[in-house]
Amino acid sequence: MEGSSTGLDADGLIEGIREMLDTKDAAVLDFLLKGFDSASLNADFYTLAQKSRSNFIRKYFGYDLLVRNTRTVWLNRALGRDENADTVPAGADDPDPAEVQAINNVLAQSDILARERDLDTLMWKRIEEINVMKVFDLDVILGFTACLKIVDRWIKLDPETGRELFRRLVEEIRSSRTKTIE
């Protein structure tokens, strides 16, 4: 984001990343970015994500779908609607009840901003889990990009939280670089 107090230009940074990737990897990055456009998030998108050769894409969007469907069920219950209305089929795997409960615990918060922050924290943690023990490959680049999109969102919603997340992202990069050198 140009002109923000963080000095972050997320789109520019992502474009710089794309320029360093070969055509195949750039297409995977573009698919990831498409997942941050709510108009793209439908059953066809998630089906393609689950068929992706990219481990990160499969796991990230599998969890993203779980979060979105759990949120939809939660809202439907609150509104007295059929709880499965407007959910996207998730495939053959049943969701982990502990993960669903963790998401429901976040959704039960009355503070909307805290709820959104905590949902993004769950996504951030999932990114870290997907990329644990990875040094530097496309999955790490995709994870960084997903975290960068979360930071960019929060800079717009709540600049203070956005700055905190930006510092966290920078610290994680520094920490992983130090571990790589050791």
Side-chain angles (χ1 to χ4, degrees):
M1 273 200 61
E2 288 182 288
S4 74
S5 59
T6 62
L8 176 65
D9 177 6
D11 292 335
L13 190 51
I14 292 168
E15 188 55 39
I17 291 168
R18 179 184 287 108
E19 289 172 4
M20 291 187 271
L21 298 175
D22 64 28
T23 305
K24 184 179 114 191
D25 290 347
V28 177
L29 175 65
D30 289 340
F31 187 86
L32 172 73
L33 294 172
K34 186 176 178 183
F36 287 92
D37 174 11
S38 58
S40 300
L41 300 177
N42 56 38
D44 291 337
F45 175 85
Y46 286 106
T47 298
L48 286 173
Q50 291 309 303
K51 292 179 181 178
S52 174
R53 293 188 341 183
S54 167
N55 178 61
F56 185 87
I57 294 293
R58 285 190 315 274
K59 289 185 176 182
Y60 179 80
F61 285 112
Y63 189 69
D64 180 73
L65 181 58
L66 175 64
V67 169
R68 290 176 190 280
N69 277 344
T70 303
R71 176 187 274 179
T72 301
V73 167
W74 187 84
L75 286 170
N76 285 340
R77 284 180 187 151
L79 297 172
R81 298 177 61 204
D82 170 24
E83 68 179 35
N84 291 315
D86 302 319
T87 59
V88 175
D93 294 340
D94 287 331
D96 178 350
E99 288 183 333
V100 172
Q101 185 59 51
I103 297 164
N104 278 319
N105 290 345
V106 169
L107 293 170
Q109 297 178 70
S110 60
D111 183 336
I112 294 171
L113 209 53
R115 187 178 351 177
E116 288 299 313
R117 184 192 62 238
D118 290 350
L119 288 172
D120 280 341
T121 297
L122 290 175
M123 294 304 296
W124 194 296
K125 286 179 182 176
R126 181 52 51 107
I127 292 165
E128 290 173 340
E129 290 170 10
I130 294 168
N131 285 333
V132 71
M133 303 300 290
K134 294 190 178 182
V135 179
F136 191 75
D137 63 5
L138 183 59
D139 284 357
V140 172
I141 293 168
L142 296 173
F144 170 81
T145 303
C147 288
L148 185 61
K149 292 297 283 184
I150 292 170
V151 169
D152 190 44
R153 175 176 183 247
W154 277 98
I155 287 172
K156 294 171 187 166
L157 287 174
D158 178 32
E160 184 177 330
T161 300
R163 283 189 296 274
E164 285 176 34
L165 289 171
F166 182 62
R167 281 190 291 274
R168 177 178 173 185
L169 183 59
V170 169
E171 187 54 41
E172 286 178 8
I173 293 167
R174 285 182 181 150
S175 174
S176 66
R177 188 164 191 271
T178 303
K179 289 176 189 173
T180 304
I181 293 171
E182 292 174 347

